[in-house]
Amino acid sequence: MRKPIVAGNWKMNKTVAEAQALVADIKRDLAECSGVDVVVCPPFTALAAVSEAITGSQLDLGAQNMHWEGSGAYTGEIAPPMLRELFCHYVILGHSERREYAGETDAIVNKKLKAALAANLRPIVCVGEQLADRDAGRTEAVVEQQLRGSLANCSAREWTDVVVAYEPVWAIGTGRTATPDQAQEVHAFIRSVIRDLADDSIAQTVRIQYGGSMKPANAAELISQPDIDGGLIGGAALDAASFVAIVQAAL
Ligand code: PEP
């Protein structure tokens, strides 16, 4: 049995004060949620405050990105030990917005993945096709290439900490969600690629989240698919009631 995982990606939203208010509401409403791993991923500037706010709760902390080096002359970057110091346990890697706006390639994502695992951070590795890929029948080819590049060279021990997020780019922030059947088909395919990269027992344990306009109205049907193990939530994670409702759907 894979424990569902729901993560909120707050992106470049929320000042420290706003982040504190949002996480206070989530924490209050999710006092009992041991059946789901719940992760909040605020911007770097709010990590310390949110970390303090969730101490002793069921909520876990994640970052939205990091550099692969432990320290050094990388202006504007954040290193894995800096995240660990704030009690971050997860880090989103290779989000499509990082791939598009910051030029992140699969090779870069793989370097970050290895650095995250070495620092005891659990990577949430994002993959997903553009609309043109889907229309051209290239969804599986694109996703497979991203998986093989981003997840190369993981040991069996490392795989236990990896989370994959399938996020069709055409569904992110657009209000257009993959149907449960469309999403399930790609999730099953992702699991088959993991089987090939690792082995069957690892493939059965790696959690694969769906992301792309997930909201309370569609979460239950998506998450009830056999290979969908939770959600990576963008817009709906900025509203406590919506995020909590999605977590409850996963329960
Ligand atoms: C995301 O960016 O990870 C995401 C899923 O966004 P949204 O839920 O807004 O589509």
Side-chain angles (χ1 to χ4, degrees):
M1 266 304 277
R2 296 179 295 269
K3 188 176 183 184
I5 174 167
V6 175
N9 173 13
W10 298 3
K11 309 193 184 187
M12 197 174 70
N13 294 293
K14 304 293 176 189
T15 62
V16 171
E18 290 167 346
Q20 284 168 320
L22 174 58
V23 82
D25 287 347
I26 295 170
K27 188 175 138 181
R28 182 199 58 222
D29 293 345
L30 287 180
E32 303 290 326
C33 67
S34 54
V36 181
D37 286 338
V38 184
V39 186
V40 288
C41 305
F44 288 131
T45 47
L47 280 174
V50 171
S51 181
E52 196 182 331
I54 64 176
T55 302
S57 78
Q58 310 250 21
L59 304 178
D60 230 321
L61 189 63
Q64 300 173 18
N65 179 36
M66 56 164 231
H67 199 270
W68 60 85
E69 292 290 351
S71 65
Y74 298 97
T75 304
E77 297 285 353
I78 300 286
M82 298 171 180
L83 299 180
R84 287 292 309 178
E85 188 185 24
L86 297 177
F87 305 104
C88 258
H89 291 136
Y90 291 86
V91 60
I92 299 170
L93 297 179
H95 190 280
S96 62
E97 288 152 13
R98 302 271 335 150
R99 292 176 185 265
E100 182 177 353
Y101 305 130
E104 286 195 8
T105 61
D106 294 326
I108 290 173
V109 176
N110 187 245
K111 277 179 156 182
K112 294 186 176 193
L113 171 97
K114 298 297 287 181
L117 292 165
N120 277 324
L121 286 159
R122 295 177 176 175
I124 298 176
V125 178
C126 302
V127 297
E129 81 285 3
Q130 307 271 348
L131 186 57
D133 299 321
R134 178 162 282 266
D135 288 347
R138 288 185 30 82
T139 296
E140 291 193 353
V142 167
V143 168
E144 179 168 4
Q145 186 176 345
Q146 290 174 335
L147 290 167
R148 289 188 182 278
S150 305
L151 297 168
N153 304 316
C154 276
S155 68
R157 161 71 194 84
E158 288 175 331
W159 272 109
T160 62
D161 283 336
V162 172
V163 177
V164 175
Y166 168 57
E167 300 206 304
V169 179
W170 48 270
I172 294 179
T174 59
R176 195 177 151 186
T177 321
T179 65
D181 285 349
Q182 281 175 323
Q184 165 57 26
E185 197 179 334
V186 182
H187 279 239
F189 173 72
I190 290 172
R191 209 173 292 292
S192 76
V193 175
I194 296 172
R195 190 173 296 122
D196 197 49
L197 286 169
D199 64 34
D200 187 51
S201 69
I202 287 172
Q204 289 308 324
T205 58
V206 173
R207 295 179 292 179
I208 308 173
Q209 299 173 305
Y210 170 79
S213 298
M214 191 184 266
K215 39 191 180 283
N218 59 27
E221 210 187 342
L222 285 160
I223 297 174
S224 64
Q225 299 300 311
D227 288 292
I228 300 184
D229 307 312
L232 180 54
I233 321 299
L238 298 174
D239 174 68
S242 298
F243 185 65
V244 166
I246 292 171
V247 173
Q248 280 160 350
L251 276 168

Coordinates of all heavy atoms in Angstrom, one line a residue, residues 60-133:
D60 N 4.3 18.7 6.8 CA 5.7 18.6 6.5 C 6.1 19.8 5.6 O 5.2 20.3 4.9 CB 6.0 17.3 5.7 CG 7.2 16.5 6.3 OD1 8.2 17.2 6.7 OD2 7.1 15.3 6.4
L61 N 7.4 20.1 5.5 CA 7.9 21.3 4.8 C 8.6 20.9 3.6 O 9.5 19.9 3.6 CB 8.8 22.1 5.7 CG 9.2 23.5 5.2 CD1 8.0 24.4 5.1 CD2 10.2 24.1 6.2
G62 N 8.4 21.6 2.5 CA 9.1 21.3 1.2 C 9.6 22.7 0.6 O 9.0 23.7 0.9
A63 N 10.6 22.6 -0.2 CA 11.1 23.8 -0.9 C 10.7 23.6 -2.4 O 10.3 22.5 -2.8 CB 12.6 24.0 -0.8
Q64 N 10.8 24.6 -3.1 CA 10.3 24.6 -4.5 C 11.5 24.3 -5.5 O 11.3 24.2 -6.7 CB 9.6 25.9 -4.9 CG 8.4 26.1 -4.1 CD 7.8 27.5 -4.4 OE1 8.1 28.1 -5.4 NE2 7.0 28.0 -3.5
N65 N 12.7 24.4 -5.0 CA 13.9 24.3 -5.9 C 15.1 24.3 -5.0 O 15.0 24.7 -3.8 CB 13.9 25.5 -6.8 CG 15.1 25.5 -7.7 OD1 15.6 24.4 -8.2 ND2 15.7 26.7 -8.0
M66 N 16.2 24.0 -5.5 CA 17.5 24.1 -4.8 C 18.7 24.0 -5.8 O 18.5 23.5 -6.9 CB 17.7 23.1 -3.7 CG 17.6 21.7 -4.2 SD 18.2 20.4 -3.0 CE 19.2 19.5 -4.2
H67 N 19.9 24.4 -5.4 CA 21.0 24.1 -6.2 C 21.6 22.7 -5.8 O 21.3 22.2 -4.8 CB 22.1 25.2 -5.9 CG 23.1 25.3 -7.0 ND1 24.3 24.6 -7.0 CD2 23.1 26.0 -8.2 CE1 25.0 24.9 -8.1 NE2 24.3 25.7 -8.8
W68 N 22.5 22.2 -6.7 CA 23.0 20.9 -6.4 C 24.3 21.0 -5.6 O 24.7 20.0 -5.0 CB 23.3 20.1 -7.7 CG 24.2 20.8 -8.7 CD1 25.6 20.7 -8.6 CD2 23.9 21.6 -9.7 NE1 26.1 21.5 -9.7 CE2 25.1 22.0 -10.4 CE3 22.7 22.1 -10.3 CZ2 25.2 22.9 -11.5 CZ3 22.8 22.9 -11.4 CH2 24.0 23.3 -12.0
E69 N 24.9 22.1 -5.5 CA 26.2 22.2 -4.7 C 25.8 22.5 -3.3 O 24.8 23.1 -3.0 CB 27.1 23.4 -5.2 CG 27.7 23.1 -6.6 CD 28.7 22.0 -6.6 OE1 29.1 21.5 -5.5 OE2 29.1 21.5 -7.7
G70 N 26.7 22.2 -2.4 CA 26.4 22.4 -0.9 C 26.7 23.8 -0.5 O 26.2 24.2 0.6
S71 N 27.5 24.6 -1.2 CA 27.8 26.0 -0.9 C 28.6 26.5 -2.0 O 29.1 25.7 -2.9 CB 28.6 26.1 0.4 OG 29.9 25.5 0.2
G72 N 28.9 27.8 -2.0 CA 29.8 28.3 -3.0 C 29.3 29.6 -3.7 O 28.3 30.2 -3.3
A73 N 30.0 29.9 -4.8 CA 29.8 31.2 -5.5 C 28.6 31.0 -6.5 O 28.9 30.9 -7.7 CB 31.0 31.7 -6.2
Y74 N 27.4 30.9 -6.0 CA 26.2 30.7 -6.9 C 25.2 31.7 -6.4 O 24.2 31.4 -5.7 CB 25.7 29.3 -6.8 CG 26.7 28.3 -7.2 CD1 27.5 27.6 -6.3 CD2 26.9 28.0 -8.6 CE1 28.4 26.7 -6.7 CE2 27.8 27.1 -9.0 CZ 28.6 26.4 -8.1 OH 29.5 25.5 -8.5
T75 N 25.4 33.0 -6.9 CA 24.6 34.1 -6.4 C 23.1 33.8 -6.7 O 22.7 33.4 -7.7 CB 25.0 35.4 -7.2 OG1 26.3 35.6 -7.0 CG2 24.2 36.6 -6.7
G76 N 22.3 34.0 -5.6 CA 20.9 33.8 -5.7 C 20.4 32.4 -5.5 O 19.2 32.2 -5.6
E77 N 21.3 31.5 -5.3 CA 20.9 30.1 -5.2 C 20.8 29.7 -3.7 O 21.3 30.3 -2.8 CB 21.9 29.2 -5.9 CG 22.0 29.4 -7.4 CD 20.7 28.8 -8.1 OE1 19.9 28.2 -7.5 OE2 20.6 29.1 -9.3
I78 N 20.2 28.5 -3.4 CA 20.0 28.0 -2.1 C 20.5 26.5 -2.1 O 20.2 25.8 -3.0 CB 18.5 28.0 -1.7 CG1 17.9 29.4 -1.8 CG2 18.2 27.3 -0.4 CD1 18.2 30.3 -0.6
A79 N 21.3 26.2 -1.1 CA 21.9 24.9 -1.0 C 21.1 23.9 -0.2 O 20.4 24.3 0.7 CB 23.3 25.0 -0.5
P80 N 21.3 22.6 -0.5 CA 20.5 21.6 0.3 C 20.7 21.7 1.8 O 19.7 21.6 2.5 CB 21.1 20.2 -0.2 CG 21.6 20.6 -1.6 CD 22.0 22.0 -1.6
P81 N 21.9 21.9 2.4 CA 22.0 22.0 3.8 C 21.2 23.2 4.4 O 20.8 23.2 5.6 CB 23.5 22.2 4.1 CG 24.2 21.8 2.8 CD 23.2 22.0 1.7
M82 N 21.0 24.3 3.6 CA 20.3 25.4 4.1 C 18.8 25.0 4.3 O 18.1 25.5 5.2 CB 20.4 26.6 3.1 CG 21.8 27.1 2.9 SD 21.8 28.2 1.5 CE 23.6 28.7 1.6
L83 N 18.3 24.1 3.4 CA 16.9 23.7 3.5 C 16.8 22.7 4.7 O 15.8 22.8 5.5 CB 16.5 22.9 2.2 CG 16.6 23.8 0.9 CD1 16.1 23.0 -0.3 CD2 15.7 25.0 1.1
R84 N 17.8 21.9 4.9 CA 17.7 20.9 6.0 C 17.7 21.7 7.3 O 17.1 21.3 8.3 CB 18.9 20.0 6.0 CG 18.9 18.9 4.9 CD 17.8 17.9 5.1 NE 17.9 17.3 6.5 CZ 17.0 16.5 6.9 NH1 16.0 16.0 6.2 NH2 17.1 16.0 8.2
E85 N 18.5 22.8 7.4 CA 18.6 23.5 8.6 C 17.2 24.1 9.0 O 17.0 24.3 10.2 CB 19.6 24.7 8.3 CG 19.9 25.5 9.6 CD 20.8 26.7 9.3 OE1 20.7 27.2 8.1 OE2 21.5 27.1 10.2
L86 N 16.4 24.3 8.0 CA 15.0 24.8 8.3 C 14.0 23.6 8.5 O 12.8 23.9 8.5 CB 14.6 25.8 7.2 CG 15.4 27.0 7.1 CD1 15.0 27.9 5.9 CD2 15.4 27.8 8.4
F87 N 14.5 22.4 8.6 CA 13.7 21.2 8.7 C 12.8 21.0 7.5 O 11.7 20.5 7.6 CB 12.8 21.3 10.0 CG 13.7 21.5 11.2 CD1 13.7 22.8 11.8 CD2 14.5 20.5 11.7 CE1 14.6 23.0 12.9 CE2 15.3 20.7 12.8 CZ 15.3 21.9 13.4
C88 N 13.3 21.3 6.3 CA 12.7 20.9 5.1 C 12.9 19.4 4.9 O 14.0 18.9 5.1 CB 13.4 21.6 3.9 SG 12.5 22.9 3.2
H89 N 11.9 18.7 4.5 CA 12.1 17.3 4.2 C 11.9 16.9 2.8 O 12.2 15.8 2.3 CB 11.1 16.4 5.1 CG 11.5 16.5 6.5 ND1 10.6 16.6 7.6 CD2 12.7 16.4 7.1 CE1 11.2 16.7 8.7 NE2 12.5 16.5 8.5
Y90 N 11.3 17.8 2.0 CA 11.0 17.6 0.6 C 11.5 18.8 -0.2 O 11.6 19.9 0.3 CB 9.5 17.5 0.3 CG 8.8 16.2 0.9 CD1 8.4 16.2 2.2 CD2 8.7 15.1 0.1 CE1 7.8 15.1 2.8 CE2 8.1 14.0 0.7 CZ 7.6 13.9 2.0 OH 7.1 12.8 2.5
V91 N 11.7 18.5 -1.5 CA 12.1 19.6 -2.4 C 11.5 19.2 -3.8 O 11.7 18.1 -4.3 CB 13.6 19.9 -2.5 CG1 14.4 18.7 -2.9 CG2 13.9 21.1 -3.4
I92 N 10.8 20.2 -4.4 CA 10.2 20.0 -5.8 C 11.4 20.2 -6.7 O 12.1 21.2 -6.6 CB 9.1 21.0 -6.0 CG1 7.9 20.8 -5.1 CG2 8.6 20.9 -7.5 CD1 6.9 21.9 -5.1
L93 N 11.5 19.3 -7.7 CA 12.6 19.5 -8.7 C 12.0 19.3 -10.1 O 11.2 18.5 -10.3 CB 13.7 18.4 -8.5 CG 14.5 18.4 -7.1 CD1 15.5 17.3 -7.1 CD2 15.2 19.8 -6.9
G94 N 12.6 20.1 -11.0 CA 12.2 20.0 -12.4 C 10.8 20.4 -12.7 O 10.2 19.9 -13.7
H95 N 10.2 21.3 -11.9 CA 8.8 21.8 -12.2 C 8.9 22.4 -13.6 O 9.8 23.0 -14.0 CB 8.4 22.8 -11.2 CG 7.0 23.2 -11.3 ND1 6.5 24.1 -12.3 CD2 5.9 22.7 -10.6 CE1 5.2 24.2 -12.1 NE2 4.8 23.4 -11.2
S96 N 7.8 22.3 -14.3 CA 7.7 22.7 -15.7 C 8.1 24.2 -15.8 O 8.6 24.7 -16.8 CB 6.4 22.4 -16.4 OG 5.4 23.1 -15.7
E97 N 7.7 25.0 -14.8 CA 8.0 26.4 -14.8 C 9.5 26.6 -14.7 O 10.1 27.6 -15.3 CB 7.3 27.1 -13.7 CG 5.8 27.2 -14.1 CD 4.8 27.3 -12.9 OE1 5.3 27.5 -11.8 OE2 3.6 27.1 -13.1
R98 N 10.2 25.8 -14.0 CA 11.7 25.8 -13.9 C 12.3 25.4 -15.2 O 13.3 26.0 -15.7 CB 12.3 24.9 -12.7 CG 11.7 25.3 -11.4 CD 12.5 26.3 -10.6 NE 13.9 26.4 -10.9 CZ 14.5 27.6 -10.8 NH1 13.9 28.7 -10.3 NH2 15.8 27.7 -11.1
R99 N 11.7 24.4 -15.8 CA 12.2 23.9 -17.1 C 12.1 25.0 -18.1 O 12.9 25.2 -18.9 CB 11.5 22.6 -17.5 CG 11.8 21.4 -16.6 CD 11.0 20.2 -17.1 NE 11.1 19.0 -16.2 CZ 12.0 18.0 -16.4 NH1 12.8 18.0 -17.4 NH2 12.0 17.0 -15.6
E100 N 10.9 25.7 -18.1 CA 10.6 26.7 -19.1 C 11.3 28.0 -18.9 O 12.0 28.6 -19.8 CB 9.1 26.9 -19.2 CG 8.7 27.9 -20.3 CD 7.2 28.1 -20.4 OE1 6.4 27.4 -19.8 OE2 6.9 29.0 -21.2
Y101 N 11.3 28.5 -17.6 CA 11.8 29.9 -17.4 C 13.3 29.9 -16.9 O 13.9 30.9 -17.0 CB 11.0 30.6 -16.3 CG 9.5 30.7 -16.7 CD1 8.5 30.3 -15.8 CD2 9.1 31.1 -18.0 CE1 7.2 30.4 -16.1 CE2 7.7 31.2 -18.3 CZ 6.8 30.8 -17.4 OH 5.5 30.8 -17.7
A102 N 13.8 28.8 -16.4 CA 15.1 28.8 -15.9 C 16.0 27.8 -16.7 O 17.1 27.5 -16.3 CB 15.1 28.4 -14.4
G103 N 15.4 27.2 -17.7 CA 16.2 26.4 -18.6 C 16.7 25.1 -18.0 O 17.7 24.5 -18.4
E104 N 16.0 24.6 -17.0 CA 16.4 23.3 -16.4 C 16.2 22.1 -17.3 O 15.2 21.9 -17.9 CB 15.6 23.1 -15.1 CG 16.1 24.0 -14.0 CD 15.7 23.6 -12.6 OE1 15.1 22.5 -12.4 OE2 15.9 24.4 -11.7
T105 N 17.3 21.4 -17.5 CA 17.3 20.2 -18.3 C 17.1 19.0 -17.4 O 17.3 19.0 -16.2 CB 18.6 20.1 -19.1 OG1 19.6 20.0 -18.2 CG2 18.8 21.3 -20.0
D106 N 16.9 17.8 -18.1 CA 16.9 16.6 -17.3 C 18.2 16.3 -16.6 O 18.3 15.8 -15.5 CB 16.6 15.4 -18.2 CG 15.2 15.5 -18.8 OD1 14.3 16.0 -18.1 OD2 15.0 15.1 -19.9
A107 N 19.3 16.7 -17.2 CA 20.7 16.5 -16.6 C 20.8 17.3 -15.3 O 21.3 16.9 -14.3 CB 21.8 16.8 -17.6
I108 N 20.3 18.6 -15.4 CA 20.4 19.4 -14.2 C 19.5 18.9 -13.1 O 19.8 18.8 -11.9 CB 19.9 20.9 -14.6 CG1 21.0 21.5 -15.4 CG2 19.7 21.7 -13.3 CD1 20.7 22.9 -16.0
V109 N 18.3 18.4 -13.5 CA 17.3 17.9 -12.5 C 18.0 16.6 -11.9 O 17.9 16.4 -10.7 CB 16.0 17.5 -13.2 CG1 15.1 16.8 -12.2 CG2 15.3 18.7 -13.7
N110 N 18.7 15.8 -12.7 CA 19.3 14.7 -12.1 C 20.5 15.0 -11.1 O 20.6 14.4 -10.0 CB 19.9 13.8 -13.2 CG 20.4 12.5 -12.7 OD1 21.6 12.2 -12.8 ND2 19.6 11.6 -12.1
K111 N 21.2 16.1 -11.4 CA 22.2 16.5 -10.4 C 21.6 17.0 -9.1 O 22.0 16.7 -8.0 CB 23.0 17.7 -11.0 CG 24.1 17.4 -12.0 CD 24.6 18.8 -12.4 CE 26.0 18.9 -12.8 NZ 26.5 20.1 -13.2
K112 N 20.5 17.7 -9.3 CA 19.8 18.2 -8.1 C 19.2 17.0 -7.3 O 19.2 17.0 -6.1 CB 18.6 19.1 -8.5 CG 19.2 20.4 -9.1 CD 18.1 21.4 -9.3 CE 18.7 22.8 -9.8 NZ 17.8 23.9 -9.8
L113 N 18.7 16.0 -8.0 CA 18.1 14.8 -7.4 C 19.1 14.1 -6.5 O 18.9 13.8 -5.4 CB 17.6 13.9 -8.5 CG 17.2 12.5 -8.0 CD1 15.6 12.4 -7.8 CD2 17.6 11.4 -8.9
K114 N 20.3 13.9 -7.1 CA 21.4 13.2 -6.4 C 21.8 14.0 -5.2 O 22.0 13.5 -4.1 CB 22.6 13.0 -7.3 CG 22.3 12.1 -8.5 CD 21.9 10.7 -8.1 CE 23.0 9.8 -7.6 NZ 22.6 8.4 -7.3
A115 N 21.9 15.4 -5.3 CA 22.2 16.2 -4.2 C 21.2 16.2 -3.1 O 21.5 16.2 -1.9 CB 22.5 17.6 -4.7
A116 N 19.9 16.2 -3.5 CA 18.8 16.2 -2.5 C 18.9 14.9 -1.7 O 18.8 14.9 -0.5 CB 17.5 16.3 -3.3
L117 N 19.0 13.8 -2.4 CA 19.0 12.5 -1.8 C 20.2 12.4 -0.8 O 20.1 11.9 0.3 CB 19.1 11.3 -2.8 CG 17.8 11.2 -3.6 CD1 18.0 10.3 -4.8 CD2 16.7 10.6 -2.8
A118 N 21.4 12.9 -1.2 CA 22.6 12.9 -0.4 C 22.4 13.7 0.9 O 23.0 13.5 1.9 CB 23.8 13.4 -1.2
A119 N 21.5 14.7 0.8 CA 21.2 15.6 1.9 C 20.0 15.2 2.7 O 19.5 15.9 3.6 CB 21.0 17.0 1.4
N120 N 19.5 14.0 2.4 CA 18.3 13.5 3.1 C 17.1 14.3 2.9 O 16.2 14.5 3.8 CB 18.5 13.4 4.6 CG 19.2 12.1 5.0 OD1 18.9 11.1 4.3 ND2 20.1 12.1 5.9
L121 N 17.0 14.9 1.7 CA 15.7 15.6 1.2 C 15.0 14.7 0.3 O 15.7 14.0 -0.6 CB 16.1 16.9 0.5 CG 16.6 18.0 1.4 CD1 17.4 19.0 0.6 CD2 15.4 18.7 2.1
R122 N 13.7 14.6 0.4 CA 12.9 13.8 -0.6 C 12.6 14.6 -1.8 O 11.8 15.5 -1.7 CB 11.7 13.2 0.1 CG 12.0 12.3 1.3 CD 10.8 11.9 2.0 NE 11.2 11.0 3.0 CZ 10.3 10.4 3.9 NH1 9.1 10.7 3.8 NH2 10.8 9.6 4.8
P123 N 13.1 14.2 -3.0 CA 12.7 15.0 -4.2 C 11.4 14.6 -4.7 O 11.0 13.4 -4.7 CB 13.9 14.5 -5.1 CG 14.3 13.2 -4.7 CD 14.0 13.1 -3.2
I124 N 10.6 15.6 -5.1 CA 9.4 15.5 -5.9 C 9.7 15.9 -7.3 O 9.9 17.1 -7.6 CB 8.3 16.4 -5.3 CG1 7.9 16.0 -3.9 CG2 7.0 16.3 -6.2 CD1 6.9 16.9 -3.2
V125 N 9.9 14.9 -8.1 CA 10.5 15.1 -9.5 C 9.3 15.3 -10.5 O 8.5 14.3 -10.6 CB 11.4 14.0 -9.9 CG1 11.9 14.2 -11.3 CG2 12.6 13.9 -8.9
C126 N 9.2 16.4 -11.1 CA 8.1 16.7 -12.0 C 8.4 16.3 -13.5 O 9.5 16.7 -14.0 CB 7.7 18.2 -12.0 SG 7.3 18.8 -10.3
V127 N 7.5 15.7 -14.1 CA 7.6 15.4 -15.5 C 6.2 15.7 -16.2 O 5.2 15.7 -15.5 CB 8.0 13.9 -15.8 CG1 9.4 13.6 -15.3 CG2 6.9 13.0 -15.2
G128 N 6.2 15.9 -17.5 CA 4.9 16.1 -18.1 C 5.1 16.7 -19.5 O 6.0 17.4 -19.7
E129 N 4.1 16.4 -20.3 CA 4.2 16.8 -21.8 C 3.5 18.1 -22.0 O 2.6 18.5 -21.3 CB 3.6 15.7 -22.7 CG 2.1 15.7 -22.8 CD 1.4 15.2 -21.6 OE1 2.0 14.8 -20.6 OE2 0.1 15.1 -21.6
Q130 N 4.0 18.8 -23.1 CA 3.3 20.0 -23.6 C 2.1 19.5 -24.4 O 2.0 18.4 -24.8 CB 4.2 20.8 -24.5 CG 5.6 21.1 -23.9 CD 5.6 22.5 -23.2 OE1 4.6 23.2 -23.3 NE2 6.6 22.7 -22.5
L131 N 1.2 20.5 -24.6 CA 0.0 20.2 -25.4 C 0.3 19.7 -26.8 O -0.3 18.7 -27.3 CB -1.0 21.4 -25.5 CG -2.3 21.1 -26.2 CD1 -3.1 20.0 -25.4 CD2 -3.1 22.4 -26.2
A132 N 1.3 20.3 -27.4 CA 1.7 19.9 -28.8 C 2.2 18.4 -28.8 O 2.0 17.7 -29.7 CB 2.8 20.8 -29.3
D133 N 2.9 18.0 -27.7 CA 3.4 16.7 -27.6 C 2.2 15.7 -27.5 O 2.2 14.7 -28.2 CB 4.2 16.4 -26.3 CG 5.5 17.3 -26.3 OD1 6.1 17.5 -27.3 OD2 5.8 17.8 -25.2

